[in-house]
Amino acid sequence: MNIRAMDFDLEEEEELFVIGDAQQYLFFKSGGDIYALDVEHVSEMIEYQTLTKVPMMQSFIKGVTNIRGSIVTVIDLLERFGLGETEISPKTSLVIVKDIALIIDEVHDVNSILNEDIKDSLDFGFKIEPRFIKNMAKYNDTHIAILNCAEILNISEISEIKGK
């Protein structure tokens, strides 16, 4: 699995591994909160780029973009969570997950979390719906939500036509 480096000290195309009792995660900011994604779901991270709007799509689908010759659907992660739109800034990035791009505020880090620091998610007390959270992890003395890609990228919800 390859991840392209952006704002942290990874060499471009560095291979990432599960090391002993730990697994690597991409940490990023969205809406002022830090979230994590298992790096096995992330194919790359790129700077935000111009989008082409697609009519009649869900409001969280911001359009499509061309990434090295492939047309990729772009989802505003904050809006998918029902937390408003992401403000585009110079640090805004696109994280490519299963051929879909997620708009995030900024890449924070790629780091390992020990398996013992990962716990089941609670069903309450979050800004986002519990179905979007796979697990909770203790990281740098705080608790971070590890996101559930299967729910965020639920094809039946994403492909619904607006107004139906």
Side-chain angles (χ1 to χ4, degrees):
M1 134 22 86
N2 292 319
I3 292 186
R4 293 190 185 274
M6 278 190 54
D7 295 328
F8 41 87
D9 296 323
L10 288 179
E11 292 178 20
E12 188 167 325
E13 305 269 349
E14 181 181 355
E15 194 72 29
L16 300 172
F17 301 99
V18 175
I19 302 169
D21 291 335
Q23 192 158 343
Q24 292 208 313
Y25 292 87
L26 165 67
F27 294 88
F28 61 91
K29 289 184 180 179
S30 252
D33 293 314
I34 297 178
Y35 299 100
L37 282 172
D38 188 327
V39 295
E40 77 178 33
H41 299 299
V42 178
S43 57
E44 67 181 298
M45 297 160 283
I46 62 172
E47 292 179 9
Y48 182 83
Q49 57 191 43
T50 305
L51 307 178
T52 301
K53 299 261 184 214
V54 178
M56 305 290 293
M57 297 304 295
Q58 299 291 336
S59 64
F60 58 83
I61 298 176
K62 295 303 174 189
V64 296
T65 193
N66 185 327
I67 299 176
R68 280 180 292 298
S70 295
I71 302 301
V72 176
T73 300
V74 179
I75 293 175
D76 184 333
L77 189 61
L78 274 185
E79 196 163 345
R80 176 75 170 119
F81 292 160
L83 300 174
E85 288 187 56
T86 300
E87 278 190 46
I88 306 305
S89 76
K91 291 184 177 184
T92 302
S93 299
L94 298 176
V95 175
I96 314 304
V97 178
K98 298 183 181 186
D99 298 323
I100 294 177
L102 302 175
I103 301 172
I104 62 165
D105 288 340
E106 69 180 280
V107 173
H108 182 67
D109 195 7
V110 172
N111 212 331
S112 297
I113 300 176
L114 294 172
N115 292 337
E116 66 191 41
D117 290 333
I118 298 173
K119 307 294 180 205
D120 289 336
S121 173
L122 301 173
D123 289 337
F124 59 90
F126 300 107
K127 289 182 183 178
I128 65 176
E129 292 181 46
R131 68 188 178 110
F132 293 132
I133 301 173
K134 181 178 179 184
N135 298 104
M136 294 299 294
K138 186 174 181 185
Y139 179 72
N140 289 343
D141 295 324
T142 190
H143 287 87
I144 305 290
I146 299 173
L147 298 179
N148 182 342
C149 288
E151 281 298 322
I152 293 168
L153 304 177
N154 182 318
I155 283 298
S156 62
E157 287 182 36
I158 290 172
S159 60
E160 284 181 19
I161 295 176
K162 190 175 178 178
K164 270 196 157 188

